[in-house]
Amino acid sequence: MSQFIEVIECLDKAPETLVSRFPERGSADIKMGAQLIVRESQAAVFFRDGRALDTFGPGRHTLSTMNVPLLTKFLSLPLGGTSPFRAEVYFANLRTFVNQKWGTMEPILFRDSELDMVRLRAFGIYSYRISNPQVFVNSLVGTVSEFTTDALADFFRGLIVTQVAEFLGSHLHTVLDLAQHYVEISAGIQANVLADFEKYGVTIADFKVLSISPPEHVQEMIDKRGGMAAVGSLDSFVRYQAANALEKSAAGGASGGSGLAAAGVGAGAGLGLGAGLGDSANFCSSCGARQRAAANACPSCGTENAAGARFCSNCGTGLAGAPPAPPSGTGR
Protein backbone atom coordinates (compact mmCIF):
# COMPACT_ATOMS: atom_id res chain seq x y z
CA MET A 1 0.00 0.00 0.00
CA SER A 2 1.48 3.34 -1.03
CA GLN A 3 2.16 6.01 1.57
CA PHE A 4 0.03 9.14 1.31
CA ILE A 5 1.77 12.53 1.24
CA GLU A 6 0.69 14.79 4.11
CA VAL A 7 3.17 17.70 3.78
CA ILE A 8 4.25 19.17 0.47
CA GLU A 9 7.08 21.73 0.33
CA CYS A 10 10.20 22.43 -1.68
CA LEU A 11 13.46 24.28 -1.11
CA ASP A 12 15.52 25.51 -4.04
CA LYS A 13 18.51 23.29 -4.67
CA ALA A 14 20.65 26.12 -6.12
CA PRO A 15 20.46 29.92 -6.58
CA GLU A 16 19.87 29.51 -10.31
CA THR A 17 16.89 27.13 -9.91
CA LEU A 18 13.76 28.36 -11.69
CA VAL A 19 11.43 25.41 -11.17
CA SER A 20 11.52 22.30 -8.97
CA ARG A 21 9.21 19.33 -9.34
CA PHE A 22 7.55 17.35 -6.52
CA PRO A 23 8.05 14.45 -6.59
CA GLU A 24 11.11 14.41 -8.82
CA ARG A 25 9.70 11.48 -10.84
CA GLY A 26 6.21 10.28 -11.54
CA SER A 27 3.34 11.51 -9.40
CA ALA A 28 2.54 11.31 -5.70
CA ASP A 29 -0.45 10.03 -3.77
CA ILE A 30 -1.56 13.20 -2.02
CA LYS A 31 -3.96 12.95 0.88
CA MET A 32 -6.85 15.36 0.88
CA GLY A 33 -6.25 17.53 3.94
CA ALA A 34 -2.46 17.53 3.42
CA GLN A 35 -0.47 20.69 4.14
CA LEU A 36 1.00 22.62 1.23
CA ILE A 37 3.75 25.08 2.22
CA VAL A 38 4.58 27.75 -0.36
CA ARG A 39 7.29 30.23 0.51
CA GLU A 40 7.16 33.96 -0.19
CA SER A 41 9.16 33.76 -3.41
CA GLN A 42 7.33 30.71 -4.75
CA ALA A 43 4.19 29.63 -6.54
CA ALA A 44 2.95 26.01 -6.55
CA VAL A 45 1.17 24.60 -9.61
CA PHE A 46 -0.69 21.28 -9.45
CA PHE A 47 -0.45 19.12 -12.56
CA ARG A 48 -2.36 16.02 -13.48
CA ASP A 49 -1.77 14.09 -16.71
CA GLY A 50 0.41 16.95 -18.03
CA ARG A 51 -2.27 19.55 -17.48
CA ALA A 52 -1.89 22.58 -15.18
CA LEU A 53 -4.85 22.83 -12.82
CA ASP A 54 -4.70 24.81 -9.56
CA THR A 55 -2.05 27.39 -8.56
CA PHE A 56 -1.21 28.46 -5.00
CA GLY A 57 0.59 31.57 -3.83
CA PRO A 58 2.71 32.05 -0.68
CA GLY A 59 1.36 30.63 2.59
CA ARG A 60 0.34 27.39 4.33
CA HIS A 61 -2.57 25.74 2.61
CA THR A 62 -4.72 22.82 3.73
CA LEU A 63 -5.74 20.96 0.62
CA SER A 64 -9.44 20.30 0.25
CA THR A 65 -11.97 19.99 -2.52
CA MET A 66 -12.74 23.68 -1.90
CA ASN A 67 -9.29 25.11 -2.71
CA VAL A 68 -8.40 22.71 -5.53
CA PRO A 69 -11.61 23.11 -7.54
CA LEU A 70 -10.07 22.38 -10.94
CA LEU A 71 -8.34 19.26 -9.65
CA THR A 72 -11.56 18.16 -7.90
CA LYS A 73 -13.54 18.64 -11.08
CA PHE A 74 -10.89 16.97 -13.24
CA LEU A 75 -10.75 13.89 -11.02
CA SER A 76 -14.50 13.91 -10.24
CA LEU A 77 -13.76 13.87 -6.49
CA PRO A 78 -16.80 13.96 -4.18
CA LEU A 79 -17.31 17.38 -2.62
CA GLY A 80 -15.95 17.39 0.94
CA GLY A 81 -14.38 13.98 0.48
CA THR A 82 -11.04 12.88 1.86
CA SER A 83 -9.98 10.44 -0.82
CA PRO A 84 -6.31 10.76 -1.86
CA PHE A 85 -5.43 11.78 -5.40
CA ARG A 86 -2.41 11.43 -7.63
CA ALA A 87 -0.71 14.60 -8.93
CA GLU A 88 2.62 16.36 -9.18
CA VAL A 89 3.46 19.86 -7.98
CA TYR A 90 5.81 22.32 -9.68
CA PHE A 91 7.31 24.99 -7.45
CA ALA A 92 8.20 28.08 -9.48
CA ASN A 93 10.81 30.50 -8.14
CA LEU A 94 9.34 34.00 -8.48
CA ARG A 95 12.36 36.02 -7.39
CA THR A 96 14.15 38.30 -9.87
CA PHE A 97 17.15 36.68 -11.52
CA VAL A 98 19.70 39.46 -11.97
CA ASN A 99 22.95 39.92 -13.87
CA GLN A 100 21.98 37.70 -16.77
CA LYS A 101 24.35 38.35 -19.66
CA TRP A 102 23.57 38.75 -23.34
CA GLY A 103 25.80 39.47 -26.33
CA THR A 104 26.13 39.07 -30.08
CA MET A 105 27.79 35.84 -31.15
CA GLU A 106 28.52 37.34 -34.59
CA PRO A 107 28.79 41.04 -35.55
CA ILE A 108 25.62 42.79 -36.71
CA LEU A 109 25.86 44.41 -40.16
CA PHE A 110 24.82 48.06 -39.78
CA ARG A 111 24.40 50.77 -42.43
CA ASP A 112 26.06 53.85 -40.94
CA SER A 113 25.14 57.27 -42.35
CA GLU A 114 28.75 58.49 -42.08
CA LEU A 115 30.94 55.38 -42.12
CA ASP A 116 28.90 53.36 -44.64
CA MET A 117 28.64 49.62 -43.81
CA VAL A 118 29.94 48.73 -40.34
CA ARG A 119 29.84 45.49 -38.33
CA LEU A 120 28.85 46.04 -34.70
CA ARG A 121 29.23 43.90 -31.61
CA ALA A 122 27.01 44.51 -28.59
CA PHE A 123 26.65 43.08 -25.09
CA GLY A 124 24.93 43.89 -21.81
CA ILE A 125 22.98 42.52 -18.86
CA TYR A 126 19.32 41.98 -18.03
CA SER A 127 17.08 40.75 -15.19
CA TYR A 128 13.89 38.71 -15.42
CA ARG A 129 11.35 36.88 -13.28
CA ILE A 130 8.54 34.40 -13.81
CA SER A 131 5.23 36.27 -14.11
CA ASN A 132 2.90 33.41 -15.08
CA PRO A 133 3.98 30.07 -13.54
CA GLN A 134 1.48 27.94 -15.45
CA VAL A 135 2.46 29.33 -18.85
CA PHE A 136 6.16 29.11 -17.97
CA VAL A 137 5.99 25.45 -16.91
CA ASN A 138 3.82 24.43 -19.84
CA SER A 139 5.85 26.24 -22.52
CA LEU A 140 9.43 25.82 -21.31
CA VAL A 141 9.87 23.38 -18.42
CA GLY A 142 8.04 20.23 -19.44
CA THR A 143 8.45 17.31 -17.01
CA VAL A 144 12.07 17.77 -15.84
CA SER A 145 12.70 17.59 -12.10
CA GLU A 146 14.73 20.81 -12.00
CA PHE A 147 14.93 23.71 -14.44
CA THR A 148 17.67 26.36 -14.14
CA THR A 149 18.67 29.65 -15.74
CA ASP A 150 21.40 27.90 -17.75
CA ALA A 151 18.75 26.06 -19.73
CA LEU A 152 17.31 29.38 -20.94
CA ALA A 153 20.48 31.44 -21.42
CA ASP A 154 20.98 30.71 -25.13
CA PHE A 155 17.27 30.91 -25.93
CA PHE A 156 16.79 34.30 -24.27
CA ARG A 157 20.03 35.59 -25.82
CA GLY A 158 18.67 34.80 -29.28
CA LEU A 159 15.44 36.70 -28.58
CA ILE A 160 17.39 39.73 -27.34
CA VAL A 161 19.96 39.88 -30.16
CA THR A 162 17.18 39.76 -32.76
CA GLN A 163 15.55 42.81 -31.20
CA VAL A 164 18.90 44.59 -30.80
CA ALA A 165 19.61 44.25 -34.54
CA GLU A 166 16.10 45.44 -35.45
CA PHE A 167 16.20 48.44 -33.10
CA LEU A 168 19.66 49.65 -34.15
CA GLY A 169 18.77 49.37 -37.82
CA SER A 170 15.60 51.44 -37.44
CA HIS A 171 16.65 54.05 -34.83
CA LEU A 172 20.42 54.59 -34.94
CA HIS A 173 21.97 56.68 -37.74
CA THR A 174 25.69 56.50 -36.93
CA VAL A 175 27.90 54.86 -34.32
CA LEU A 176 29.41 58.29 -33.68
CA ASP A 177 26.21 59.16 -31.75
CA LEU A 178 26.17 56.04 -29.55
CA ALA A 179 27.50 57.64 -26.37
CA GLN A 180 24.51 59.96 -25.97
CA HIS A 181 21.85 57.33 -26.74
CA TYR A 182 22.70 54.31 -24.55
CA VAL A 183 19.81 54.91 -22.13
CA GLU A 184 17.34 55.44 -24.97
CA ILE A 185 18.58 52.34 -26.80
CA SER A 186 18.34 50.20 -23.64
CA ALA A 187 14.76 51.33 -22.96
CA GLY A 188 13.69 50.78 -26.57
CA ILE A 189 15.13 47.28 -26.79
CA GLN A 190 13.61 46.33 -23.42
CA ALA A 191 10.16 47.39 -24.65
CA ASN A 192 10.55 45.27 -27.78
CA VAL A 193 11.93 42.23 -25.94
CA LEU A 194 9.18 42.33 -23.32
CA ALA A 195 6.50 41.07 -25.69
CA ASP A 196 8.68 38.11 -26.71
CA PHE A 197 9.34 37.13 -23.10
CA GLU A 198 5.72 37.44 -21.93
CA LYS A 199 4.68 34.71 -24.36
CA TYR A 200 6.60 32.32 -22.11
CA GLY A 201 5.30 33.64 -18.80
CA VAL A 202 8.39 35.80 -18.11
CA THR A 203 8.76 39.56 -17.65
CA ILE A 204 11.87 41.68 -18.07
CA ALA A 205 12.67 43.55 -14.86
CA ASP A 206 15.68 45.44 -16.18
CA PHE A 207 17.72 45.68 -19.37
CA LYS A 208 21.02 47.44 -19.99
CA VAL A 209 23.23 47.88 -23.07
CA LEU A 210 26.81 48.08 -21.79
CA SER A 211 28.66 48.36 -25.08
CA ILE A 212 28.08 48.66 -28.81
CA SER A 213 31.38 48.77 -30.67
CA PRO A 214 32.70 48.49 -34.25
CA PRO A 215 35.76 46.38 -35.17
CA GLU A 216 39.20 47.58 -34.06
CA HIS A 217 40.23 48.88 -37.49
CA VAL A 218 37.09 51.03 -37.65
CA GLN A 219 37.80 52.36 -34.15
CA GLU A 220 41.30 53.32 -35.33
CA MET A 221 39.81 55.20 -38.28
CA ILE A 222 37.46 57.08 -35.95
CA ASP A 223 40.40 57.98 -33.69
CA LYS A 224 42.38 59.30 -36.67
CA ARG A 225 39.40 61.28 -37.84
CA GLY A 226 39.04 62.86 -34.44
CA GLY A 227 42.76 63.59 -34.30
CA MET A 228 42.74 65.40 -37.64
CA ALA A 229 39.72 67.43 -36.59
CA ALA A 230 41.53 68.46 -33.43
CA VAL A 231 44.71 69.43 -35.34
CA GLY A 232 43.01 71.58 -37.98
CA SER A 233 45.05 72.61 -41.05
CA LEU A 234 48.17 70.74 -42.14
CA ASP A 235 50.29 73.90 -41.78
CA SER A 236 49.21 74.30 -38.15
CA PHE A 237 49.97 70.66 -37.51
CA VAL A 238 53.52 70.97 -38.93
CA ARG A 239 54.22 74.07 -36.85
CA TYR A 240 52.86 72.32 -33.76
CA GLN A 241 55.09 69.29 -34.38
CA ALA A 242 58.15 71.53 -34.80
CA ALA A 243 57.40 73.43 -31.60
CA ASN A 244 56.84 70.14 -29.77
CA ALA A 245 60.20 68.83 -30.98
CA LEU A 246 61.96 71.98 -29.73
CA GLU A 247 60.26 71.65 -26.37
CA LYS A 248 61.38 68.03 -26.07
CA SER A 249 64.95 68.99 -26.99
CA ALA A 250 65.00 71.63 -24.28
CA ALA A 251 63.63 69.17 -21.72
CA GLY A 252 66.19 66.53 -22.70
CA GLY A 253 69.21 68.85 -22.64
CA ALA A 254 70.52 67.37 -19.43
CA SER A 255 70.52 63.86 -20.91
CA GLY A 256 73.34 64.53 -23.42
CA GLY A 257 73.96 65.74 -26.93
CA SER A 258 72.43 62.76 -28.70
CA GLY A 259 68.96 63.70 -27.49
CA LEU A 260 69.46 67.30 -28.59
CA ALA A 261 70.71 66.24 -32.01
CA ALA A 262 67.76 63.92 -32.62
CA ALA A 263 65.27 66.57 -31.52
CA GLY A 264 67.05 69.15 -33.66
CA VAL A 265 66.69 66.93 -36.71
CA GLY A 266 62.98 66.54 -36.01
CA ALA A 267 62.51 70.26 -35.53
CA GLY A 268 64.50 71.05 -38.68
CA ALA A 269 62.42 68.61 -40.70
CA GLY A 270 59.22 70.15 -39.40
CA LEU A 271 60.38 73.69 -40.09
CA GLY A 272 61.62 72.67 -43.52
CA LEU A 273 58.22 71.23 -44.38
CA GLY A 274 56.58 74.38 -43.09
CA ALA A 275 58.86 76.49 -45.20
CA GLY A 276 58.06 74.35 -48.23
CA LEU A 277 54.37 74.97 -47.63
CA GLY A 278 55.04 78.70 -47.36
CA ASP A 279 56.94 78.80 -50.69
CA SER A 280 53.77 78.47 -52.70
CA ALA A 281 54.36 81.96 -54.28
CA ASN A 282 57.14 80.47 -56.50
CA PHE A 283 54.58 78.42 -58.42
CA CYS A 284 52.07 79.48 -61.05
CA SER A 285 48.59 79.83 -59.62
CA SER A 286 47.01 78.49 -62.83
CA CYS A 287 49.12 75.51 -63.90
CA GLY A 288 51.31 74.94 -60.83
CA ALA A 289 54.59 75.15 -62.76
CA ARG A 290 57.58 76.62 -60.97
CA GLN A 291 58.26 80.22 -62.12
CA ARG A 292 61.76 81.12 -63.37
CA ALA A 293 63.69 83.94 -61.79
CA ALA A 294 63.67 87.21 -63.81
CA ALA A 295 66.37 87.22 -66.62
CA ASN A 296 69.07 89.99 -67.03
CA ALA A 297 67.49 91.89 -69.97
CA CYS A 298 69.54 94.25 -72.25
CA PRO A 299 68.31 97.87 -72.01
CA SER A 300 69.09 98.45 -75.70
CA CYS A 301 67.81 95.44 -77.64
CA GLY A 302 65.82 93.61 -74.93
CA THR A 303 67.75 90.37 -75.28
CA GLU A 304 67.59 88.23 -72.11
CA ASN A 305 71.07 87.40 -70.86
CA ALA A 306 72.25 85.02 -68.18
CA ALA A 307 72.23 86.33 -64.64
CA GLY A 308 75.60 87.97 -63.88
CA ALA A 309 76.52 88.70 -67.54
CA ARG A 310 78.39 92.01 -67.97
CA PHE A 311 77.59 92.65 -71.64
CA CYS A 312 74.63 91.84 -73.88
CA SER A 313 75.32 88.79 -76.00
CA ASN A 314 73.49 90.36 -78.97
CA CYS A 315 74.61 94.01 -79.18
CA GLY A 316 77.44 94.26 -76.65
CA THR A 317 75.79 96.94 -74.54
CA GLY A 318 76.89 96.97 -70.91
CA LEU A 319 74.32 95.53 -68.52
CA ALA A 320 73.25 97.48 -65.46
CA GLY A 321 73.16 94.44 -63.14
CA ALA A 322 76.59 93.18 -64.15
CA PRO A 323 79.22 92.77 -61.41
CA PRO A 324 82.05 95.33 -61.47
CA ALA A 325 85.04 94.50 -63.68
CA PRO A 326 88.18 93.39 -61.85
CA PRO A 327 90.93 96.03 -61.66
CA SER A 328 93.40 95.91 -64.60
CA GLY A 329 96.92 94.84 -63.85
CA THR A 330 99.86 97.34 -63.87
CA GLY A 331 103.03 96.77 -65.89
CA ARG A 332 106.46 96.40 -64.30
Coordinates of all heavy atoms in Angstrom, one line a residue, residues 62 77 84 167 242 320:
T62 N -4.2 24.1 3.5 CA -4.7 22.8 3.7 C -5.5 22.4 2.5 O -6.5 23.1 2.2 CB -5.6 22.8 5.0 OG1 -4.8 23.2 6.1 CG2 -6.2 21.4 5.2
L77 N -13.8 14.2 -7.9 CA -13.8 13.9 -6.5 C -15.1 14.3 -5.8 O -15.6 15.4 -6.2 CB -12.6 14.6 -5.8 CG -11.2 14.1 -6.3 CD1 -10.1 15.0 -5.6 CD2 -10.9 12.7 -6.0
P84 N -7.6 10.3 -1.3 CA -6.3 10.8 -1.9 C -6.4 10.9 -3.4 O -7.2 10.2 -4.0 CB -5.3 9.7 -1.4 CG -6.1 8.5 -1.2 CD -7.5 8.9 -0.8
F167 N 16.3 47.1 -33.7 CA 16.2 48.4 -33.1 C 17.3 49.3 -33.6 O 17.1 50.5 -34.0 CB 16.2 48.4 -31.6 CG 15.9 49.7 -30.9 CD1 14.6 50.1 -30.6 CD2 17.0 50.6 -30.6 CE1 14.4 51.3 -30.0 CE2 16.7 51.8 -30.0 CZ 15.4 52.1 -29.7
A242 N 56.8 70.9 -34.9 CA 58.1 71.5 -34.8 C 58.3 72.1 -33.4 O 59.4 72.0 -32.8 CB 58.3 72.6 -35.9
A320 N 73.3 96.7 -66.7 CA 73.3 97.5 -65.5 C 73.5 96.6 -64.3 O 74.1 97.0 -63.3 CB 71.9 98.2 -65.3

